[in-house]
Amino acid sequence: LSLTTYGYEQDILFDPGTYSIDPDQDQFDATNWNYKYYCRIYDLNNFPNINGSLLTIDDSRTDPVNPSCLLNRSDNRTTLIYKNSTLSPNSSLTIFSGSLRTNQTYQFMISMTNRQNPSITSTGYLLVKIADKIP
């Protein structure tokens, strides 16, 4: 699946529960899963980690070798927000415009783990290129 969008100052929405299929169920129930989001600068860095343990996109700890994708915003706005319910924490993530550096490609990884049976997992990847575009 490939999707290209163009726009100015667009937010990025991750909502894997909306676009997921559970072959064992009639419909996908986002509340049955735990979600973790990771990000790296594609072709430059590995996913941030400490001693091999991956750091989620919202982890405040830093990996000096593999820095976070998110910029420290000068306008003090938040860089991301989880839109969820208490039944489905972190099932939807919005990264606000201006939170990623321009002229970079980012790889996002979303890891989903089933709440009833943690041995059931699913992982998805997405490449996002942020570019300055002059009209």
Side-chain angles (χ1 to χ4, degrees), residues 13-134:
L13 172 65
F14 295 95
D15 192 1
T18 299
Y19 301 101
S20 297
I21 297 170
D22 185 345
D24 298 324
Q25 302 292 324
D26 290 334
Q27 71 184 79
F28 184 83
D29 185 352
T31 63
N32 289 338
W33 299 85
N34 291 318
Y35 303 83
K36 291 185 180 180
Y37 300 84
Y38 305 91
C39 181
R40 73 180 182 118
I41 300 171
Y42 189 67
D43 280 343
L44 288 179
N45 302 103
N46 292 319
F47 286 102
N49 68 87
I50 294 179
N51 297 325
S53 180
L54 292 175
L55 301 177
T56 59
I57 196 168
D58 59 341
D59 197 311
S60 61
R61 297 174 294 171
T62 57
D63 174 354
V65 177
N66 302 296
S68 172
C69 291
L70 302 176
L71 293 172
N72 291 326
R73 297 180 60 117
S74 58
D75 60 6
N76 291 326
R77 286 184 53 211
T78 187
T79 55
L80 58 84
I81 188 168
Y82 290 103
K83 294 181 179 179
N84 52 34
S85 68
T86 55
L87 296 176
S88 185
N90 302 350
S91 63
S92 177
L93 170 69
T94 299
I95 299 176
F96 294 110
S97 66
S99 300
L100 299 169
R101 293 170 192 81
T102 58
N103 300 316
Q104 292 280 3
T105 300
Y106 298 92
Q107 182 179 32
F108 292 89
M109 177 174 64
I110 299 95
S111 174
M112 298 167 45
T113 304
N114 187 279
R115 290 179 183 207
Q116 287 80 29
N117 184 351
S119 67
I120 300 173
T121 63
S122 180
T123 302
Y125 296 88
L126 173 71
L127 292 177
V128 174
K129 182 174 185 175
I130 308 295
D132 283 332
K133 182 161 175 66
I134 299 172

